[in-house]
Amino acid sequence: MQLLSIRVPDQWLFGLAVGILLSFAAALTLNKRERDLVLSRLHIHRRRASGASTPPRSFSPSKNVTEPLTESKEPASPDYKNVFPPSRRSILPELAKNNSYSSQRIICGPEPSPEHISTNPLPTTQSFDLENDVPKYTPTGFSTAEVKAMGDFPAYDIISGVPLPQPYANFDPSTALPRPYRPFRWAYHQTMSLTKMEPDWWLEVENTYIARVAERRQLFKDHGKKVLDYLPGSELACKELMEMCLQFYCARYPDCFSLSDSQRIFHNGILKEDTDIRSMHPLHVLLNNVPEDFAIVLRNENDGMYYFRAGVVCSSLGWNVSTKIGMQLKDIHKPIPDYKEKMSFSMDRYFTKMPTNSPIQRGSWGLEIGTPLFMPAGDPHEQHRLKQKEDLTIEECYLRVDWQTLRRLPLSGGIVFNFKALFTPVAEFKDEPYIPALLLKILKEGKKNLMEYKNTWHVEHVCVPELEEYAREQVERGLVVPEEGMENWTVSTLEESPYFPGWEEKWHRQQRF
């Protein structure tokens, strides 16, 4: 599938070679976007309010959905049909500076009202050609004409408000390790446990890159739509996500990845491959180059709720893309304990108002025998979870962390879940202060239904006694220090969470820094 083509419209009918007085007079007759652009060309800058805290838009000012994500209290089902996420249109004059005059005129078009957006939405349940002469609007307020005028690979850092990453100095893909995520919390409740995403670490490349890409390609050959699929209406969001990922790679790892001058060929220095990104669907570009999972949910124009419309997911446990695609959020998360009672309402509200410039991150975890990446329902590896293997050793036991980020795509208004499965031998916890005691507390005293869902029973007969020994040794070695005035450390979430004290020294040492 080719990328969405872009046609450049006619040149501006007026030029910037007119005199200063004439330009000022003309500026008075232009709309706000055009006026800002003319003034910026004359090097006269107006103070522009930031869009960072722009509230969600609705027909009625009384509709306020800016409350933080908290446990639900089973209120009446809200109506989100006419409520939209915060707009980023304030950046259009800045974005237009690097475009042709004709594109600038389109990009700096009039501000649409929420009513206009609601009655002319870009459909999310059927395909829409950006070449269509009738403009449609995304939930974030951009018209299809403006999206066309921006072209391929626009400045997503400006559009989203999330800066591009800094180049990773002295990066060596053969020795690089992921950061040692240990997302253990006590008291252990079913909450999202969200923190602000670190822009430099949205996507991580490490020493399993080549093997993981090969494994994911094979998984697609074996399972097809169980790991990669897309529904009509997701075209813009898939292209947008692909471009944002490749932009990130080129900025973060410039010695490993680059784009051709035409922005058509992606050069992968690690795989020693070139990809013509217009020769395949954007999700296949990601499958072949970015060994991380992505699930895109889009705002349905009929009810304002979010539905899973496209994704490439090669590390699912107990489910796959084909069993979830097309579903609404509440249906996707139905198997999760306490989700309906404590999280469903808040999640829907959060998605409705989530801005593009505030991506978040979190981690989920489990204990596994070996390192199973893709385990759909009925997979033979599931048999390990039905019994406690008598001859199991600690060397066979692994912590699996699914490190997740959540961000709104700025143009399409879709929200993308990004997650990556990382495996660490449980034996690594021996020299990680406080981690053995914290994990023991969860395994022994965690809420019954949550622990049954996490399904760690099959390794606990080996892991628990081993962790108890690690915890005793850490106290004896002085790695665990009680709080002032206390005999023992009161187990609780670490200040360094999702890491542990001294994690950077260990991480650097393992990479031979």
Side-chain angles (χ1 to χ4, degrees):
M1 175 179 174
Q2 290 190 345
L3 293 182
L4 301 170
S5 57
I6 305 297
R7 254 192 334 216
V8 179
D10 295 334
Q11 291 284 337
W12 272 4
L13 298 179
F14 59 93
L16 293 179
V18 294
I20 297 296
L21 293 177
L22 182 59
S23 295
F24 271 116
L28 295 176
T29 68
L30 300 176
N31 65 57
K32 179 179 181 297
R33 302 289 176 212
E34 293 172 316
R35 185 164 62 249
D36 286 348
L37 180 61
V38 171
L39 294 178
S40 69
R41 285 284 178 182
L42 297 172
H43 304 288
I44 299 173
H45 302 284
R46 300 172 62 239
R47 182 175 180 180
R48 176 169 51 83
S50 170
S53 58
T54 305
R57 295 160 294 149
S58 68
F59 289 6
S60 170
S62 64
K63 291 182 179 179
N64 188 343
V65 287
T66 58
E67 295 88 346
L69 185 61
T70 57
E71 291 187 358
S72 299
K73 297 180 181 179
E74 286 295 321
S77 297
D79 181 6
Y80 292 127
K81 184 180 186 302
N82 295 321
V83 183
F84 298 92
S87 172
R88 289 288 298 173
R89 293 185 61 84
S90 62
I91 55 83
L92 287 177
E94 181 180 1
L95 186 71
K97 294 175 184 177
N98 295 322
N99 288 75
S100 66
Y101 291 159
S102 55
S103 294
Q104 288 175 354
R105 181 70 180 267
I106 297 173
I107 292 173
C108 291
E111 180 93 26
S113 67
E115 293 91 338
H116 192 65
I117 294 173
S118 182
T119 55
N120 297 276
L122 179 66
T124 60
T125 56
Q126 63 186 58
S127 298
F128 182 85
D129 189 350
L130 287 189
E131 296 298 330
N132 194 307
D133 291 333
V134 180
K136 300 293 183 180
Y137 288 86
T138 71
T140 44
F142 296 105
S143 73
T144 49
E146 290 164 343
V147 173
K148 279 196 302 181
M150 293 178 195
D152 295 335
F153 291 94
Y156 284 110
D157 55 327
I158 295 175
I159 302 172
S160 68
V162 179
L164 284 171
Q166 295 297 311
Y168 197 144
N170 304 315
F171 176 73
D172 184 349
S174 66
T175 60
L177 294 174
R179 293 183 295 176
Y181 299 108
R182 307 290 184 261
F184 304 129
R185 294 175 284 116
W186 188 262
Y188 186 55
H189 302 297
Q190 185 63 293
T191 64
M192 287 297 289
S193 186
L194 306 175
T195 58
K196 184 178 179 180
M197 189 190 84
E198 302 162 272
D200 284 353
W201 297 96
W202 178 37
L203 308 173
E204 290 189 62
V205 172
E206 26 85 18
N207 61 7
T208 65
Y209 177 86
I210 295 176
R212 275 286 185 251
V213 169
E215 183 177 8
R216 292 165 63 87
R217 291 178 179 181
Q218 188 60 48
L219 283 170
F220 176 71
K221 289 181 180 179
D222 295 341
H223 299 282
K225 290 187 175 183
K226 290 184 178 180
V227 299
L228 189 156
D229 201 5
Y230 41 89
L231 298 180
S234 65
E235 294 86 357
L236 174 59
C238 289
K239 175 180 182 288
E240 182 180 13
L241 173 63
M242 179 270 291
E243 291 180 342
M244 290 175 67
C245 289
L246 299 194
Q247 267 190 0
F248 180 96
Y249 263 21
C250 293
R252 182 63 167 160
Y253 310 104
D255 294 335
C256 300
F257 307 105
S258 63
L259 279 168
S260 65
D261 292 341
S262 67
Q263 296 186 325
R264 177 167 180 163
I265 305 300
F266 177 64
H267 305 292
N268 189 319
I270 300 179
L271 298 178
K272 296 179 171 44
E273 293 179 358
D274 290 341
T275 300
D276 182 347
I277 61 178
R278 298 183 188 176
S279 68
M280 63 185 72
H281 190 276
L283 292 187
H284 283 280
V285 177
L286 295 180
L287 173 74
N288 292 332
N289 293 279
V290 183
E292 307 207 14
D293 288 345
F294 302 94
I296 300 172
V297 296
L298 299 179
R299 180 188 182 277
N300 183 280
E301 59 272 22
N302 296 317
D303 61 13
M305 307 302 283
Y306 285 78
Y307 294 77
F308 179 28
R309 300 296 296 175
V312 51
V313 181
C314 296
S315 62
S316 56
L317 298 179
W319 65 280
N320 61 71
V321 170
S322 65
T323 64
K324 300 287 187 180
I325 198 160
M327 287 185 177
Q328 191 179 331
L329 277 179
K330 64 182 180 65
D331 299 318
I332 293 173
H333 294 98
K334 190 173 291 184
I336 298 178
D338 298 341
Y339 182 85
K340 179 180 179 181
E341 296 77 11
K342 294 188 175 182
M343 298 171 63
S344 181
F345 171 74
S346 293
M347 279 287 286
D348 289 338
R349 182 178 56 190
Y350 186 82
F351 273 54
T352 299
K353 59 94 176 178
M354 184 181 186
T356 67
N357 58 357
S358 299
I360 55 178
Q361 62 186 20
R362 69 178 296 270
S364 65
W365 63 272
L367 297 177
E368 299 289 350
I369 296 176
T371 58
L373 183 65
F374 179 67
M375 195 169 70
D379 188 275
H381 197 90
E382 282 188 329
Q383 297 301 312
H384 286 305
R385 299 185 172 201
L386 302 180
K387 61 182 179 181
Q388 290 188 329
K389 184 181 174 185
E390 291 185 4
D391 59 348
L392 182 68
T393 65
I394 193 64
E395 287 74 24
E396 299 174 84
C397 299
Y398 286 78
L399 169 72
R400 172 182 168 132
V401 170
D402 288 284
W403 191 245
Q404 307 163 6
T405 66
L406 188 69
R407 66 185 303 174
R408 186 180 294 279
L409 301 174
L411 295 180
S412 66
I415 292 179
V416 58
F417 291 87
N418 158 231
F419 41 103
K420 182 174 185 176
L422 303 168
F423 294 92
T424 302
V426 172
E428 283 286 324
F429 300 163
K430 187 172 185 176
D431 65 350
E432 297 180 357
Y434 302 92
I435 293 300
L438 181 53
L439 180 52
L440 274 172
K441 187 77 170 178
I442 298 170
L443 294 177
K444 291 182 176 182
E445 302 179 29
K447 189 176 179 181
K448 186 174 184 294
N449 66 333
L450 295 181
M451 299 313 297
E452 288 176 350
Y453 176 78
K454 196 164 285 291
N455 204 352
T456 58
W457 171 82
H458 65 302
V459 297
E460 288 181 9
H461 64 299
V462 171
C463 290
V464 167
E466 199 75 20
L467 290 169
E468 289 174 337
E469 179 62 25
Y470 295 167
R472 282 193 295 270
E473 290 179 358
Q474 289 187 359
V475 172
E476 293 171 358
R477 294 165 56 192
L479 295 179
V480 171
V481 180
E483 295 95 332
E484 186 176 351
M486 305 288 290
E487 292 186 7
N488 300 301
W489 173 55
T490 302
V491 177
S492 61
T493 303
L494 298 173
E495 290 183 4
E496 294 83 358
S497 181
Y499 311 107
F500 52 88
W503 70 272
E504 287 183 289
E505 188 278 329
K506 178 178 181 178
W507 182 55
H508 290 160
R509 172 168 40 84
Q510 289 178 324
Q511 297 177 89
R512 301 193 294 274
F513 272 22

